[in-house]
Amino acid sequence: MAAHPDVTGTDASVTPYRLWLAQLRSIIFYCWLALLTLAWFIPSFVIGIFLPLKARNYFIMVFYCHIVVWSARLICGVKWRVEGRENIPIDGRGYVLLSKHQSTWETFFIPTLIAPHVQVVKRELLYLPFFGWALKMIHPIFIDRTHKTNALKQVLNQGADRLNSGIHVLVFPEGTRVSPGKRKAFSKGGAMLATKSQAPVIAIAHNSGEHWPNDNWVKRPGTINVVISPVMETTDLSTAQLSELSESWINNRVDEISARPFDGEMVDADSSGKRF
């Protein structure tokens, strides 16, 4: 797969005009995103509080995320291509979604693809003005990553409740965003939730970090490739087997669709030594 030009300025082939244009489009996008978030805050609370949880999930999160990803497409030129749409669950069961994590883009995009679902998120997000308050209304699974044992219990207990209600649970097994070309060992928390709950799994691979980089605010025009795995039934799998299966599938597919496949560098756990 041919590499895309690096519009952040590190690629010598990028002209000053193209860099300036990408920066301008990114600034416009962030200004629009701030206004959108503020504007959506009021109806989210006024209307969302009266809706049942699933309907509230669609109203507060899914609709908002559709606007965000389409705004990024129209303003910044960040497009997407999805392979495996036929694997998206429609049988009413709650699935565990295990996804690659390279940027913020997938946290906006996956709700537009598979809903309703809740995410496993760090508790600090709860305290963000507007965004965190609206996030709390859709009942995500907040965890304290400084206490790994308690965090795992929260995921298993709250996750089982959401799954039994027919709500999917999204887990990023790497625990943090990992740049394109790098890898981080997967935590087994999401796989454990699936095996203990006997919930099926969908794995999601993508290369979002190549166009929505985690280490730079400038968005790179181009197409993000997203691949949805076939359903992984967990009845006859151990946690270790499921974790290995999903990690191998995601890593292999990411390498296939990326301009920057794995370069051999493994990323260590975060500074706290805790990851989920």
Side-chain angles (χ1 to χ4, degrees):
M1 182 175 294
H4 59 76
D6 184 350
V7 296
T8 61
T10 58
D11 189 325
S13 66
V14 176
T15 65
Y17 171 75
R18 290 182 63 190
L19 175 59
W20 174 84
L21 182 60
Q23 291 172 335
L24 177 61
R25 295 170 80 177
S26 297
I27 290 172
I28 294 173
F29 170 74
Y30 277 118
C31 290
W32 163 245
L33 182 61
L35 290 173
L36 171 66
T37 303
L38 289 173
W40 191 236
F41 172 77
I42 295 177
S44 292
F45 272 83
V46 174
I47 300 175
I49 197 171
F50 296 106
L51 298 175
L53 185 57
K54 284 187 177 180
R56 191 187 311 163
N57 188 289
Y58 278 99
F59 182 74
I60 294 178
M61 182 171 71
V62 177
F63 183 74
Y64 172 83
C65 288
H66 269 289
I67 298 176
V68 172
V69 295
W70 275 98
S71 296
R73 182 183 183 117
L74 295 173
I75 298 172
C76 300
V78 179
K79 304 175 184 178
W80 59 85
R81 180 188 301 112
V82 179
E83 176 185 342
R85 285 184 182 272
E86 67 277 8
N87 299 323
I88 294 175
I90 55 174
D91 57 8
R93 293 187 293 173
Y95 284 64
V96 175
L97 313 176
L98 300 178
S99 174
K100 179 68 177 173
H101 201 16
Q102 288 189 349
S103 76
T104 308
W105 181 85
E106 56 267 21
T107 65
F108 290 124
F109 181 74
I110 295 176
T112 73
L113 199 64
I114 305 175
H117 79 246
V118 295
Q119 298 181 18
V120 177
V121 298
K122 56 187 179 181
R123 182 168 295 276
E124 294 89 327
L125 293 179
L126 173 63
Y127 306 111
L128 289 177
F130 305 111
F131 180 83
W133 303 338
L135 185 63
K136 184 179 179 181
M137 292 186 65
I138 59 174
H139 294 190
I141 301 172
F142 287 109
I143 62 170
D144 182 356
R145 295 194 300 179
T146 63
H147 297 90
K148 186 176 181 181
T149 301
N150 288 338
L152 182 56
K153 289 180 180 178
Q154 290 171 333
V155 170
L156 295 179
N157 293 335
Q158 297 179 48
D161 176 71
R162 305 298 191 277
L163 293 169
N164 290 334
S165 300
I167 297 174
H168 312 306
V169 177
L170 172 62
V171 179
F172 296 111
E174 292 160 303
T176 189
R177 290 173 287 238
V178 179
S179 299
K182 316 298 180 187
R183 285 184 185 173
K184 185 177 178 183
F186 281 26
S187 162
K188 293 182 174 62
M192 184 179 294
L193 170 62
T195 55
K196 285 188 174 296
S197 303
Q198 294 292 284
V201 166
I202 291 289
I204 304 169
H206 58 80
N207 63 328
S208 68
E210 295 179 357
H211 300 283
W212 187 304
N214 185 46
D215 57 358
N216 195 293
W217 60 274
V218 181
K219 305 294 176 274
R220 300 168 180 168
T223 301
I224 295 171
N225 295 294
V226 181
V227 187
I228 310 298
S229 79
V231 175
M232 300 178 186
E233 296 291 351
T234 60
T235 306
D236 299 321
L237 294 177
S238 68
T239 295
Q241 290 172 327
L242 177 60
S243 181
E244 182 179 358
L245 176 64
S246 58
E247 181 172 3
S248 176
W249 187 92
I250 290 173
N251 284 336
N252 289 338
R253 294 315 305 267
V254 168
D255 281 350
E256 290 173 3
I257 62 178
S258 296
R260 295 171 59 185
F262 182 48
D263 62 10
E265 180 180 344
M266 295 296 294
V267 177
D268 293 332
D270 58 32
S271 57
S272 68
K274 310 293 185 182
R275 57 183 173 83
F276 183 76

